[in-house]
Amino acid sequence: MRTLSDRRAPWRVTLGNVIFNNDTPAGRVFDLVLIVLILGSILVVMLDSVRPIQARYGSVLNRAEWILTLLFTTEYVLRLISARHASHYARSFFGVVDLLSILPGYLALLLPGAETLLIIRVLRILRIFRILKLARYLSEANVLTEAIRASAAKITVFLVVVLSLVTVIGALMYLIEGPEHGYTSIPTSIYWAIVTLTTVGYGDIAPKTPLGKGLASLAMILGYGILAVPTGIVTVNLARAQDRRQQQRTCPRCGLDRHDPDARYCKRCGETLPASP
């Protein structure tokens, strides 16, 4: 349906309803077919990375990749043509993802192996939330985003402290163990400190002297405590964000939330707000 501000030609409006509106039968079929093609494309990229399969079916997989890339390119062009504001779509999250999902295919003509980046098409699967009417669950992502944003300053300070700590521990381990025990440089020792402090422990480098083992033990103990810090910071802010969301009142008429705690009427449409929880 066209609006007064919609200056698109009728065929563009019809095409846009099919591509962007999944409330119509044609739009729903289009989105479901798109999801199938995306899953097929991801499968092709994965199979192409398996050497025995690539050696036997490489040409078939290559043709399939190009067919899918051309289909997605056509779809992207049609989205630009049928969008009410092409620039808005191109700059949106899905617009950027749609573009990035086709560029590696053409980039592979210049840089062999770049087609592996086609796996970014997996991000397009996020459209399934809209197709299956699960968009309401995405609002929970806003709570997590708010918690992470509130934790950003504390986590930044925490990361600076950790980086300083691994630098000091790495330098000490280089001094204690030295190149003869595998600690050939301070950067290598810092790598060991990061691996140890994060409790990963690859084991490719290990201290041999008693003093080095003592320092390694201290680093491992610190690692357990360090892992708990960002978790606690985010958890606290996540609980606060959830409490704030539960206290928000949504207008039953226009759906606007984030009203003042003592507000009685919606600041957009004037509807009476429900009582505070």
Side-chain angles (χ1 to χ4, degrees):
M1 181 178 296
R2 298 183 64 181
T3 62
L4 294 177
S5 61
D6 193 345
R7 299 180 179 179
R8 293 176 296 170
W11 67 270
R12 288 181 58 196
V13 175
T14 302
L15 182 61
N17 287 334
V18 173
I19 294 178
F20 292 102
N21 187 2
N22 66 315
D23 291 332
T24 63
R28 191 171 183 82
V29 170
F30 176 85
D31 282 341
L32 291 176
V33 170
L34 179 62
I35 292 296
V36 172
L37 290 177
I38 293 171
L39 292 174
S41 174
I42 296 169
L43 180 62
V44 168
V45 174
M46 290 182 175
L47 292 177
D48 192 48
S49 67
V50 181
R51 289 186 179 275
I53 297 178
Q54 201 279 335
R56 186 169 182 178
Y57 302 104
S59 59
V60 176
L61 293 173
N62 186 57
R63 283 196 295 270
E65 283 181 2
W66 272 110
I67 291 173
L68 290 167
T69 296
L70 291 175
L71 287 174
F72 289 135
T73 302
T74 303
E75 178 226 349
Y76 180 74
V77 173
L78 291 177
R79 286 183 181 274
L80 289 175
I81 293 174
S82 62
R84 180 173 301 176
H85 302 287
S87 60
H88 292 177
Y89 161 71
R91 294 195 302 267
S92 67
F93 171 77
F94 281 116
V96 173
V97 170
D98 292 345
L99 179 60
L100 292 178
S101 69
I102 59 178
L103 287 181
Y106 300 105
L107 186 61
L109 297 174
L110 302 175
L111 298 174
E115 63 274 6
T116 304
L117 297 176
L118 290 172
I119 202 70
I120 199 174
R121 288 173 182 168
V122 71
L123 293 177
R124 304 193 69 192
I125 296 296
L126 292 176
R127 279 193 171 90
I128 199 170
F129 284 96
R130 179 171 61 88
I131 296 170
L132 299 181
K133 305 297 184 182
L134 300 177
R136 61 184 181 277
Y137 294 114
L138 292 178
S139 62
E140 296 301 320
N142 296 331
V143 178
L144 181 59
T145 302
E146 184 179 342
I148 294 175
R149 188 181 296 115
S151 307
K154 298 182 182 69
I155 292 179
T156 299
V157 173
F158 167 77
L159 289 177
V160 170
V161 172
V162 171
L163 289 174
S164 302
L165 191 60
V166 296
T167 301
V168 172
I169 293 176
L172 288 175
M173 189 59 75
Y174 173 73
L175 178 64
I176 294 171
E177 295 290 329
E180 62 272 16
H181 293 148
Y183 297 84
T184 55
S185 65
I186 290 181
T188 300
S189 301
I190 290 176
Y191 154 78
W192 169 87
I194 294 173
V195 170
T196 303
L197 208 62
T198 55
T199 70
V200 177
Y202 291 128
D204 51 345
I205 307 175
K208 302 296 189 298
T209 65
L211 187 56
K213 291 179 179 179
L215 181 58
S217 300
L218 176 62
M220 286 183 276
I221 293 173
L222 285 174
Y224 282 107
I226 286 174
L227 288 177
V229 173
T231 303
I233 292 173
V234 175
T235 300
V236 170
N237 285 292
L238 186 60
R240 290 175 179 172
Q242 187 67 38
D243 289 341
R244 285 193 295 270
R245 177 164 291 272
Q246 290 176 350
Q247 293 172 3
Q248 291 173 357
R249 291 175 295 165
T250 302
C251 174
R253 175 184 292 177
C254 67
L256 182 68
D257 56 10
R258 300 181 182 278
H259 293 91
D260 295 333
D262 58 346
R264 298 176 58 187
Y265 304 99
C266 176
K267 55 187 176 184
R268 175 187 288 170
C269 66
E271 178 73 11
T272 301
L273 294 174
S276 299

